[in-house]
């Protein structure tokens, strides 16, 4: 820090040593409330008025940018503590700042005395105005993050948990976007208490985003009632296979339909078909008739209802043919269930 202060003093003194005769009306811009740089020079090379003005203004802008660059290097890393005290999030700038850094809200003034050929230029930024500008950017991000949380909660309330999770994940970038405004608030000497308050607000919202995403990771709860018969006997394999497919899409299951986001009811039965002999080989065919309904409990709405019939064949008999048919039924049912649940 001591080296930073000394460097800033050197830069400031160098700039001001050549600017002792700047216009008195500029004195307000050299007060504590401003970052500034003054360039004063005699037009010894007899440049045109326009070119000399541009030269002096560029010098003032460059010297001011150098001051800001030193400040940026001092705040090369910002630490932000999460609300629960267990997570430390580190922000560091990826931007490459140099003396041509684009300083927003920078203003310039210029004067020239054609008799003495003496010119003066000042580049300045009012700290309070700059802080207001970047705080408005942060307020905008806070508002957007609050709207995302509200949207996600409404989606959850209406049974769209996966949509809610996607909305939250797609907007996590908001918390990365606050890095630059926070840097500039430091540059323009925001009071420490205000700066800490901004960190706290973003920390809370970011933690809310991540907590909600974690809760929604396995958030779709399904109650599956699958009644399946094979030649009059209970057949449980299809229910287990359907659950396995749904689990791959981060669904979890409950034995109480009142706790579920979706209630799935499937009734399957098999019936025997013909058994033709082709090429001396008898093939048995069996059909599985399945009735499916899917109800979203949040709205008590049946969002899907249909019946399908699927055939299976085997040379060892009707029972084996029915098992083949059940495999084919599972292949048709899984995409239907996933498509309707993963909304």
């Amino acid at each position: 820090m001591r080296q930073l202060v000394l460097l800033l003093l050197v830069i400031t003194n160098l700039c001001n040593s050549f600017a002792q005769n700047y216009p008195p009306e500029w004195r307000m811009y050299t007060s504590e409330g401003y970052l500034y740089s003054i360039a004063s020079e005699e037009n010894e090379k007899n440049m045109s008025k326009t070119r000399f003005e541009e030269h002096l203004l560029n010098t003032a802008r460059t010297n001011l940018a150098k001051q800001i660059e030193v400040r940026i290097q001092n705040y090369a890393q910002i630490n932000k503590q999460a609300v629960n005290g267990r997570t430390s999030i580190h922000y560091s700038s990826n931007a490459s700042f140099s003396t041509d850094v684009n300083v927003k809200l920078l203003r310039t003034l210029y004067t020239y005395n054609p008799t003495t050929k003496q010119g003066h230029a000042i580049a300045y930024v009012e700290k309070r105005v700059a802080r207001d500008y970047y705080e408005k950017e942060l307020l905008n991000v806070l508002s957007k993050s609050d709207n995302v949380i509200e949207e996600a909660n409404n989606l959850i309330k209406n049974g769209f948990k996966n949509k809610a999770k996607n909305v939250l994940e797609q907007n996590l970038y908001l918390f990365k976007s606050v890095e630059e405004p926070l840097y500039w608030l430091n540059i323009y000497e925001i009071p420490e208490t205000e700066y800490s308050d901004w960190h706290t607000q973003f920390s809370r919202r970011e933690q809310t985003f991540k907590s909600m995403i974690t809760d929604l990771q396995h958030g779709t709860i399904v109650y599956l009632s699958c009644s399946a018969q094979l030649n009059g006997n209970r057949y449980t394999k299809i229910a287990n296979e359907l659950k396995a497919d749904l689990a791959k899409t981060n669904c979890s299951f409950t034995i109480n339909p009142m706790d579920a986001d979706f209630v799935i009811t499937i009734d399957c039965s098999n019936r025997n078909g013909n058994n033709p002999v082709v090429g001396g080989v008898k093939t048995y065919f069996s059909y599985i008739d399945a009735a499916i309904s899917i109800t979203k409990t949040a709205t008590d709405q049946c969002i899907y209802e249909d019946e399908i019939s699927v055939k299976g064949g085997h040379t060892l008999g009707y029972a084996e043919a029915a098992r083949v048919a059940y495999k084919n039924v599972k292949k048709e049912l899984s995409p239907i269930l996933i498509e309707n649940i993963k909304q």
Side-chain angles (χ1 to χ4, degrees):
M1 178 61 75
R2 185 178 179 183
Q3 291 178 336
L4 168 68
V5 173
L6 289 174
L7 185 54
L8 285 174
L9 287 173
V10 169
I11 293 174
T12 302
N13 290 334
L14 285 174
C15 293
N16 292 340
S17 63
F18 297 104
Q20 295 176 357
N21 297 318
Y22 62 79
E25 59 267 26
W26 290 3
R27 187 167 292 120
M28 65 175 292
Y29 304 121
T30 65
S31 65
E32 181 64 24
Y34 293 81
L35 291 181
Y36 72 95
S37 176
I38 297 175
S40 295
E41 192 174 319
E42 186 177 332
N43 188 6
E44 297 177 342
K45 297 181 180 179
N46 292 318
M47 300 183 204
S48 67
K49 182 179 178 181
T50 301
R51 185 179 175 188
F52 187 61
E53 177 181 353
E54 181 181 358
H55 164 70
L56 274 186
L57 288 174
N58 284 339
T59 300
R61 292 190 192 100
T62 299
N63 289 335
L64 180 59
K66 287 179 179 178
Q67 292 183 47
I68 291 175
E69 185 178 22
V70 172
R71 290 169 178 260
I72 289 171
Q73 290 171 355
N74 185 51
Y75 301 112
Q77 188 170 351
I78 299 173
N79 297 328
K80 187 174 80 168
Q81 292 294 328
V83 176
N84 61 12
R86 293 176 298 177
T87 306
S88 179
I89 304 169
H90 300 280
Y91 287 95
S92 59
S93 178
N94 293 321
S96 177
F97 292 101
S98 62
T99 52
D100 62 352
V101 61
N102 181 21
V103 182
K104 295 179 181 177
L105 307 174
L106 183 147
R107 300 290 182 266
T108 58
L109 293 171
Y110 173 79
T111 64
Y112 181 69
N113 187 327
T115 303
T116 63
K117 295 185 179 182
Q118 188 73 25
H120 302 280
I122 183 172
Y124 66 90
V125 178
E126 186 175 356
K127 296 176 186 176
R128 179 68 265 178
V129 171
R131 291 200 298 265
D132 288 345
Y133 175 86
Y134 288 108
E135 285 184 321
K136 285 180 181 177
E137 286 194 354
L138 293 178
L139 281 172
N140 185 45
V141 176
L142 282 179
S143 178
K144 286 181 179 179
S145 64
D146 287 341
N147 290 338
V148 170
I149 292 171
E150 182 179 0
E151 180 184 358
N153 282 326
N154 286 334
L155 287 169
I156 293 169
K157 182 179 178 181
N158 289 287
F160 297 103
K161 289 188 175 181
N162 286 285
K163 282 186 178 179
K165 178 172 172 288
N166 290 336
V167 165
L168 290 163
E169 289 176 335
Q170 290 167 6
N171 284 279
L172 276 172
Y173 77 91
L174 289 172
F175 302 103
K176 183 65 176 175
S177 71
V178 304
E179 179 180 339
E180 183 177 344
L182 286 173
Y183 266 106
W184 285 105
L185 286 179
N186 257 325
I187 300 307
Y188 294 118
E189 300 170 5
I190 186 174
E192 185 176 347
T193 54
E194 295 179 29
Y195 186 77
S196 177
D197 181 60
W198 281 117
H199 269 301
T200 299
Q201 292 189 69
F202 283 108
S203 202
R204 286 174 178 170
R205 283 160 178 81
E206 187 172 30
Q207 191 63 36
T208 297
F209 268 53
K210 292 183 177 180
S211 295
M212 292 177 72
I213 291 171
T214 299
D215 292 341
L216 292 167
Q217 195 70 38
H218 300 282
T220 303
I221 303 173
V222 174
Y223 173 81
L224 176 62
S225 173
C226 183
S227 174
Q229 300 290 325
L230 194 160
N231 293 337
N233 298 316
R234 186 181 178 189
Y235 187 75
T236 60
K237 186 175 182 180
I238 185 171
N240 295 332
E241 290 177 340
L242 289 172
K243 283 185 176 181
D245 287 347
L246 288 171
K248 292 176 183 177
T249 63
N250 295 325
C251 287
S252 56
F253 302 92
T254 179
I255 59 174
N256 186 352
M258 299 298 293
D259 297 331
D261 298 307
F262 294 91
V263 173
I264 302 172
T265 302
I266 301 173
D267 290 314
C268 300
S269 61
N270 75 296
R271 54 187 172 88
N272 296 331
N274 57 357
N275 54 353
V277 176
V278 179
V281 178
K282 180 179 286 190
T283 302
Y284 299 86
F285 291 98
S286 184
Y287 294 84
I288 304 298
D289 301 316
I292 316 105
S293 70
I294 305 173
T295 299
K296 180 188 287 187
T297 57
T299 58
D300 197 27
Q301 175 188 10
C302 182
I303 60 173
Y304 184 88
E305 190 171 20
D306 200 2
E307 294 182 3
I308 61 173
S309 291
V310 180
K311 181 173 69 172
H314 205 283
T315 59
L316 296 182
Y318 284 116
E320 294 302 321
R323 290 187 175 88
V324 173
Y326 267 119
K327 288 182 180 179
N328 295 333
V329 166
K330 196 274 292 186
K331 291 178 182 178
E332 291 199 21
L333 286 180
S334 285
I336 292 173
L337 302 184
I338 292 170
E339 180 181 355
N340 282 277
I341 288 174
K342 309 306 287 184
Q343 300 182 52

